[in-house]
Amino acid sequence: MSKNTFCTYETAWCPGCGNFNILECLKTALEELGKDPYEVMMVAGIGQAAKTPQYISANTFCGLHGRSLPAAVATKIANVNLTVIVDTGDGDSYGEGGNHFIHNIRRNVDITHFVHDNQIYALTKGQASPTSMEGLVTEVQTDGSMNTPLNPVLMAIAAGSGFVARAFTGHKEQLVSIMKQAIEYEGYAIVDILQPCISFNKVNTFGWYNKRVYNLDSSYDPSNKLAAMEKAMEFNDKIPLGILYQEPKKTYHQKNTVLKTGIQLLDQVTDPTVVKSLLKEFI
Ligand SMILES: Cc1ncc(C[n+]2csc(CCOP(=O)(O)OP(=O)(O)O)c2C)c(N)n1
Ligand SMILES: [Mg+2]
């Protein structure tokens, strides 16, 4: 398969943005998995990160801010054969979409969620996001963000996600490998990707991350939930990269009475006479 299967488009990102590496790694991961564009559905809400689906040749749904997960879940339920990937920002995923994030984990629909975590709202020019560090000064938070940052990987493990990873745009080979494993994981997989925003986050820069990140080594056991929670809490002088937690879990499709029989919305033929008679009951 050619490297250009998923095509290259002009972007509206700032030169030097971490989003470029995520886009490139995503295309590489999909190509290495042998996916064709028609098999892939890219979903996002609103944001700089949320533009990613527009820069890749596949099926695309860009919806409302914070509402990417419901659209992704609906897509997978309608057509189980699609590889459904949510590719969006930290604000979209954990702020406006925070409620969906938690309850989507509980449902465990087989979708993959890549979060471009630049710890800022970039599209709207630099307000604090849920992962912004306490004290981060922005044009809105002039005295520094007062809120405790949310720890998305710790939250995901605690809420019961079966695949939780952390990656960094500066480690491309590892990012591709994690992306491939997340896409292949049967169930909801979340990868929080540390992504420098060169325009609006002058604290968490490429150098800031590069100084702190280290790879989990082969002695690390990702099936140990308590150890994973402890690792997930490291976000100071040291930040671990890799698959923090992984366990096999029954998916929504394996549990749902109808879906587990293989019946899906895409194959349903709607008989208008039945719909009409049902509607009549309410008129
Ligand atoms: C319902 C709604 N609320 C707020 C906004 C404004 N808005 C658009 S993008 C955005 C934040 C995006 O941040 P993030 O998801 O982190 O993406 P980034 O731009 O940092 O990549 C906000 C608050 C909106 N468009 N719609
Ligand atoms: Mg952001």
Side-chain angles (χ1 to χ4, degrees):
M1 197 175 286
S2 107
K3 182 98 176 81
N4 289 324
T5 309
F6 290 91
C7 300
T8 301
Y9 299 91
E10 205 178 306
T11 74
W13 292 328
C14 309
C17 177
N19 284 339
F20 288 102
N21 280 2
I22 300 179
L23 175 62
E24 186 193 330
C25 289
L26 176 65
K27 288 194 223 171
T28 306
L30 290 170
E31 279 163 10
E32 287 185 7
L33 288 173
K35 299 281 178 197
D36 267 333
Y38 77 90
E39 297 172 305
V40 178
M41 175 69 167
M42 297 294 306
V43 185
I46 310 263
Q48 287 292 359
K51 292 175 181 172
T52 310
Q54 297 166 36
Y55 303 146
I56 184 164
S57 175
N59 300 290
T60 301
F61 185 96
C62 285
L64 296 173
H65 186 45
R67 304 291 179 256
S68 50
L69 284 165
V73 163
T75 308
K76 189 70 180 181
I77 286 171
N79 184 355
V80 75
N81 298 320
L82 285 171
T83 296
V84 179
I85 299 172
V86 173
D87 194 298
T88 194
D90 49 324
D92 205 37
S93 300
Y94 309 138
E96 196 104 2
N99 185 25
H100 295 298
F101 174 53
I102 297 167
H103 295 288
N104 176 68
I105 291 172
R106 297 176 50 239
R107 286 183 202 105
N108 198 31
V109 179
D110 183 15
I111 60 175
T112 310
H113 189 174
F114 297 135
V115 183
H116 302 216
D117 190 354
N118 53 13
Q119 303 185 251
I120 204 88
Y121 287 169
L123 183 80
T124 46
K125 301 193 170 175
Q127 303 79 23
S129 85
T131 53
S132 291
M133 293 198 315
E134 206 167 329
L136 184 85
V137 175
T138 74
E139 283 191 13
V140 175
Q141 286 80 22
T142 49
D143 292 332
S145 171
M146 294 184 296
N147 301 333
T148 304
L150 182 150
N151 182 330
V153 284
L154 181 62
M155 255 180 86
I157 299 168
S161 179
F163 187 107
V164 183
R166 180 161 252 157
F168 170 47
T169 58
H171 290 196
K172 290 200 311 191
E173 225 174 275
Q174 182 191 42
L175 178 55
V176 171
S177 160
I178 292 176
M179 280 179 157
K180 283 163 68 179
Q181 292 174 77
I183 292 168
E184 291 207 299
Y185 175 75
E186 260 191 273
Y188 172 72
I190 165 107
V191 185
D192 186 74
I193 307 167
L194 304 173
Q195 173 240 322
C197 166
I198 57 144
S199 297
F200 297 108
N201 188 337
K202 307 286 189 194
V203 174
N204 309 105
T205 59
F206 188 90
W208 189 94
Y209 290 121
N210 219 19
K211 228 187 277 167
R212 289 164 173 79
V213 293
Y214 73 97
N215 295 338
L216 292 167
D217 63 26
S218 53
S219 67
Y220 179 73
D221 173 13
S223 68
N224 183 334
K225 200 168 202 166
L226 274 181
M229 291 179 101
E230 220 170 290
K231 277 285 163 209
M233 281 194 274
E234 276 184 37
F235 198 88
N236 294 305
D237 297 342
K238 295 219 162 255
I239 304 174
L241 299 180
I243 298 170
L244 292 160
Y245 186 65
Q246 185 166 7
E247 71 162 307
K249 289 192 83 163
K250 271 198 170 183
T251 65
Y252 188 79
H253 280 75
Q254 287 162 348
K255 290 186 284 187
N256 180 278
T257 320
V258 176
L259 293 173
K260 72 180 172 191
T261 65
I263 294 171
Q264 58 175 351
L265 278 175
L266 186 72
D267 306 321
Q268 300 297 303
V269 181
T270 314
D271 180 350
T273 55
V274 176
V275 177
K276 254 191 195 161
S277 72
L278 286 171
L279 281 176
K280 254 191 192 157
E281 284 181 36
F282 300 99
I283 297 170

